[in-house]
Amino acid sequence: METMKPIHRILVIDDEGDVGDFVCAAAQGMGFDCTVTADAATFLAALTPDTTFILLDLIMPGLDGIELLRLLGQQKCAAGIILMSGVGKRVLETASQLAQVLGLSIVGHLQKPFRLFELEALLAKVAEPAVLPVVQASAQPTTPNKELRHAIDRNEFVLHYQPQIDIETGRMVGVEALARWQHPDRGLVLPLNFIGRAEELGLIDELGWLVMERGMSEVGQFTNGDGKCLMLSLNASVHSLHDLKFPDILLSIAERHCVPPGNITIEITESGLIKELSRTLDILTRLRMKQVKLSIDDFGTGYAMMQQLQNIPATELKIDRSLVQDLQGNGRDRIMVQKTIEMGHELGMRVIAEGVETEEQLDILRSKGCDCAQGYFFTPPLPPVQFLSWLHSYRAQLVH
Ligand code: C2E
Ligand code: CA
Ligand code: CA
């Protein structure tokens, strides 16, 4: 057992030099080893595995504190982090939540301008425990499925986009983002081969944030001819909807990429909802309060949903492709689809059919009053660049 008092190594990053110097003087006065940096590059160069605490300014020019947190998360930084900011408590709280998702350890906040005694009190408090975060992290066992863990750390995921079309006008209203794993050896891996595994390994939240981050950073380039941005539909695992921080983190990502919350739809599968409704209902409600839209995906594959539907604050019903694909031949499916559309409309929801592959299917859906369609009939999901050129030719064809 280590009995010596540990020497804490503190690294400070703040673009305001006088704040850095002030913190450093206080820390050194308390016997800490302290280094001050004013930009991300110097900071990262000075960051060593024996750094015990980081004091990080959230708002900085260039690479800001949030991006730096993300980098620290990728590097699995084990230091205790103290966030400093003059931009209000909410931003600090959101940043802390994000940091937790990234696996970082936030040990305190300092609201600028802070005074010497506040800083000293916080440092004295966090430095006191005998067991430091560094020790805890290095003792963690490695996860059995390193490959997926690495893929998340290196962000090997890309998104393919599939359009959602208004059946009546033919206009494009939104895009669904579908995750693909760009595997260094195996090429493009489809979600069926990694989403379930990520859920089992407890990695689905992190994967979800990567997808969300990418989707929101890319969607701005897709417009509908009149310059209007397209709606973005993202799939969420029901596991992620147990996390009370989900709405706040989602909103902070949207804000950073200037995506209005009302332009985002979160798709949740019907089967997930049936199993977990009581646990997810408050999160769904909070998302709706923030204008985020909710879609019930794969509708028609579950059993008890019809009765429960009115209790869910969803804005959209997405008819499962298994029902759509049998539309031509199967009278039962046709009635099922018709009833689903009627019910969705009665509850004020938009109804969209997925997996539309033929013109005949589209015609039947139109005759039943279905609002939107998505499927290979228009295009399979495409990577962003191909999707952009598809979008241009589709729009040109609409005009003529
Ligand atoms: P989903 O949300 O039901 O997505 C639609 C799936 O149907 C996609 O498969 C898409 O490529 C496929 N599809 C689209 N049009 C047609 C069509 O006309 N015919 C047929 N036969 N199939 C069509 P994909 O991309 O393999 O995704 C499979 C599932 O993986 C998705 O089902 C969704 O549940 C899940 N998923 C995808 N991305 C994410 C993600 O970022 N997070 C989470 N949690 N799940 C995701
Ligand atoms: Ca979906
Ligand atoms: Ca679906």
Side-chain angles (χ1 to χ4, degrees):
M1 200 52 196
E2 182 72 80
T3 49
M4 247 169 59
K5 197 179 165 215
I7 297 171
H8 293 292
R9 199 175 125 66
I10 299 186
L11 187 56
V12 183
I13 174 160
D14 197 311
D15 63 304
E16 295 169 79
D18 50 348
V19 176
D21 291 344
F22 170 72
V23 171
C24 190
Q28 283 170 345
M30 293 173 77
F32 297 123
D33 171 358
C34 187
T35 308
V36 180
T37 62
D39 63 87
T42 324
F43 170 80
L44 290 171
L47 181 64
T48 52
D50 64 344
T51 302
T52 24
F53 294 110
I54 291 172
L55 273 92
L56 183 145
D57 184 17
L58 273 182
I59 312 294
M60 290 180 296
L63 191 74
D64 69 26
I66 300 286
E67 286 167 290
L68 206 49
L69 284 176
R70 210 171 294 286
L71 269 177
L72 291 174
Q74 280 168 9
Q75 295 188 1
K76 302 219 179 18
C77 173
I81 299 172
I82 295 170
L83 298 174
M84 304 183 287
S85 167
V87 288
K89 225 170 149 227
R90 260 191 60 85
V91 177
L92 278 173
E93 279 164 8
T94 314
S96 310
Q97 286 163 356
L98 176 75
Q100 273 168 30
V101 170
L102 294 168
L104 297 169
S105 155
I106 300 289
V107 295
H109 296 158
L110 281 169
Q111 179 79 43
K112 282 183 180 176
F114 49 83
R115 282 177 288 174
L116 181 61
F117 77 87
E118 292 174 281
L119 173 65
E120 284 178 342
L122 182 60
L123 287 177
K125 192 174 121 225
V126 297
E128 202 169 300
V131 183
L132 296 172
V134 175
V135 178
Q136 282 174 345
S138 60
Q140 272 172 11
T142 47
T143 49
N145 196 329
K146 277 197 199 145
E147 217 191 359
L148 201 50
R149 175 72 259 169
H150 282 169
I152 291 174
D153 293 340
R154 297 195 208 110
N155 195 358
E156 291 175 352
F157 299 92
V158 294
L159 294 179
H160 285 192
Y161 294 93
Q162 192 174 36
Q164 303 183 328
I165 310 282
D166 181 312
I167 296 181
E168 205 49 54
T169 62
R171 281 173 71 81
M172 191 154 82
V173 287
V175 286
E176 178 176 5
L178 293 151
R180 269 94 183 95
W181 179 3
Q182 188 72 64
H183 195 284
D185 310 316
R186 276 188 272 148
L188 208 62
V189 181
L190 289 174
L192 190 65
N193 300 312
F194 63 86
I195 294 288
R197 192 82 189 107
E199 287 175 342
E200 284 164 22
L201 293 170
L203 297 173
I204 193 67
D205 287 356
E206 277 182 75
L207 178 55
W209 298 128
L210 288 180
V211 165
M212 227 166 245
E213 187 78 49
R214 189 176 280 264
M216 292 201 206
S217 71
E218 290 178 338
V219 73
Q221 62 187 315
F222 309 139
T223 55
N224 199 359
D226 49 11
K228 238 175 110 182
C229 283
L230 294 175
M231 302 271 304
L232 172 67
S233 290
L234 294 160
N235 294 284
S237 162
V238 72
H239 294 256
S240 304
L241 293 176
H242 295 166
D243 185 351
L244 287 175
K245 298 185 294 290
F246 184 91
D248 286 334
I249 298 177
L250 182 144
L251 289 168
S252 71
I253 297 176
E255 195 180 352
R256 212 152 15 83
H257 293 289
C258 302
V259 178
N263 277 13
I264 302 165
T265 302
I266 298 297
E267 298 193 0
I268 317 129
T269 63
E270 182 190 15
S271 50
L273 275 175
I274 293 171
K275 270 191 260 149
E276 308 273 2
L277 188 58
S278 59
R279 293 183 67 179
T280 53
L281 207 48
D282 55 346
I283 292 178
L284 299 180
T285 308
R286 278 169 61 211
L287 286 170
R288 280 303 298 135
M289 281 161 51
K290 307 285 185 184
Q291 310 303 320
V292 174
K293 298 188 168 63
L294 296 173
S295 178
I296 303 176
D297 205 351
D298 302 345
F299 191 82
T301 53
Y303 320 96
M305 207 58 201
M306 297 274 185
Q307 290 90 325
Q308 291 189 12
L309 201 56
Q310 52 198 342
N311 300 323
I312 301 171
T315 51
E316 180 182 272
L317 265 192
K318 196 162 193 183
I319 303 174
D320 189 64
R321 59 181 179 277
S322 61
L323 290 179
V324 174
Q325 260 139 42
D326 286 337
L327 262 185
Q328 290 113 308
N330 190 329
R332 241 192 91 243
D333 279 357
R334 212 180 270 220
I335 293 170
M336 178 76 186
V337 166
Q338 177 162 350
K339 289 289 162 213
T340 303
I341 295 171
E342 285 170 9
M343 194 180 47
H345 285 167
E346 255 167 51
L347 293 170
M349 298 186 196
R350 179 172 93 152
V351 182
I352 178 166
E354 69 175 7
V356 178
E357 294 181 355
T358 67
E359 184 144 34
E360 197 180 351
Q361 289 165 349
L362 188 67
D363 288 341
I364 299 173
L365 289 163
R366 182 185 291 113
S367 73
K368 309 238 173 266
C370 187
D371 304 296
C372 295
Q374 182 182 342
Y376 294 169
F377 177 66
F378 301 101
T379 170
L382 296 170
V385 176
Q386 276 102 309
F387 182 68
L388 257 182
S389 59
W390 178 87
L391 186 66
H392 287 300
S393 55
Y394 182 79
R395 281 200 316 238
Q397 167 202 321
L398 264 194
V399 173
H400 299 120

